[in-house]
């Protein structure tokens, strides 16, 4: 089973809502950082090796048809080579709003690694490696985060062929996503989830 839909938008751009939407459209199961948290013993070593250039995508995505969020988003250059016919989705949002959201959730979490339970440390180390690879080493200020976000999205546009890439905001709902994936528009409302409070609930579930 090879994944054929790859979300390359950074975390905190509506990736969890996109995961739910992709599953609802029948293109799942969709891989998300949540899957790493649920299966840390297997997934964390695989992703740590991928950062070093020793990727085993078949093992990472075993049982999945699609993927969104980090860690995936940090590997768009590798994944377009591994899956040259896949469809890619770049979730975007206002850069300033993204920096505020990222800074108060993911970045805050990894910067406070030493305060986390011991069993979370390997996962957090991997997260630090992945977000650093994505252009966000520890210690950046808000302007640095904003510029890094803009740079990531620019690089995606430059590397992924235009005909394979959907530039998307989850607030736009079903229509552009369904058109891109050749799927009928559901009658149900578009899923809208994973605000900042839900982020911490998701992380704490892995403790």
């Amino acid at each position: 089973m090879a994944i054929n839909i790859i979300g390359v938008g950074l975390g905190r751009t509506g990736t969890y809502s996109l995961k739910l939407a992709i599953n609802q459209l029948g293109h799942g199961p969709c891989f998300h950082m949540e899957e790493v948290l649920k299966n840390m013993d297997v997934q964390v070593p695989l992703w740590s090796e991928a950062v070093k250039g020793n990727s085993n995508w078949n093992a990472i995505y075993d049982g999945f048809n699609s993927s969104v969020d980090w860690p995936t988003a940090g590997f768009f250059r590798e994944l377009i080579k591994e899956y040259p016919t896949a469809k890619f989705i770049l979730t975007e949002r206002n850069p300033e709003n993204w920096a505020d959201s990222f800074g108060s959730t993911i970045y805050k979490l990894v910067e406070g690694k030493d305060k986390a339970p011991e069993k979370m440390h390997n996962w957090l180390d991997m997260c630090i490696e992945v977000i650093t690879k994505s252009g966000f080493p520890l210690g950046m200020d808000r302007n640095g985060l904003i510029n890094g976000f803009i740079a990531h999205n620019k690089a995606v546009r430059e590397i992924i062929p235009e005909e394979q890439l959907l530039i998307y905001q989850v607030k736009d709902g079903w229509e552009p996503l369904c058109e891109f994936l050749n799927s009928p528009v559901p009658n149900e409302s578009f899923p809208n989830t994973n605000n900042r409070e839900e982020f911490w609930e998701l992380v704490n579930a892995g403790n």
Side-chain angles (χ1 to χ4, degrees):
M1 180 184 294
I3 59 171
N4 49 49
I5 299 169
I6 301 173
V8 289
L10 301 179
R12 311 311 302 163
T13 60
T15 53
Y16 200 80
S17 295
L18 179 61
K19 169 197 169 174
L20 297 177
I22 288 173
N23 284 339
Q24 193 169 333
L25 292 174
H27 298 292
C30 183
F31 190 94
H32 179 277
M33 181 64 89
E34 181 182 25
E35 309 305 328
V36 182
L37 271 169
K38 288 178 178 177
N39 196 13
M40 286 191 283
D41 289 347
V42 172
Q43 285 286 333
V44 168
L46 286 170
W47 284 107
S48 293
E49 283 300 304
V51 173
K52 299 172 186 173
N54 306 316
S55 53
N56 186 343
W57 301 118
N58 288 335
I60 285 173
Y61 295 128
D62 184 36
F64 292 88
N65 287 312
S66 51
S67 183
V68 300
D69 195 51
W70 269 312
T72 292
F75 293 84
F76 63 92
R77 294 175 179 88
E78 294 88 341
L79 292 171
I80 185 60
K81 295 176 182 176
E82 184 72 17
Y83 304 104
T85 61
K87 293 187 175 184
F88 289 77
I89 302 171
L90 175 61
T91 40
E92 288 195 328
R93 66 185 293 191
N94 174 276
E96 289 79 10
N97 292 344
W98 177 84
D100 292 338
S101 178
F102 174 70
S104 65
T105 53
I106 299 170
Y107 212 47
K108 181 178 180 180
L109 176 68
V110 297
E111 288 192 319
K113 186 194 83 167
D114 293 341
K115 302 174 185 176
E118 181 70 28
K119 68 177 184 178
M120 302 287 285
H121 283 194
N122 287 342
W123 173 69
L124 288 167
D125 285 338
M126 181 275 294
C127 290
I128 291 168
E129 292 171 348
V130 169
I131 67 171
T132 298
K133 172 180 168 59
S134 303
F136 305 96
L138 299 185
M140 297 178 77
D141 61 14
R142 183 174 183 265
N143 284 337
L145 298 180
I146 291 169
N147 291 334
F149 181 73
I150 294 170
H152 170 85
N153 293 347
K154 181 174 182 286
V156 169
R157 286 187 171 94
E158 291 173 347
I159 289 169
I160 307 300
E162 184 177 354
E163 64 273 12
Q164 290 174 248
L165 179 64
L166 173 66
I167 311 296
Y168 181 65
Q169 295 193 32
V170 292
K171 68 181 182 180
D172 294 334
W174 287 118
E175 282 74 11
L177 181 63
C178 291
E179 181 179 357
F180 183 65
L181 300 180
N182 298 315
S183 298
V185 177
N187 293 324
E188 296 85 0
S189 298
F190 188 90
N192 185 9
T193 188
N194 201 15
N195 59 29
R196 297 182 197 184
E197 290 74 24
E198 289 170 319
F199 167 85
W200 291 109
E201 290 173 7
L202 187 67
V203 169
N204 290 332
N207 288 347

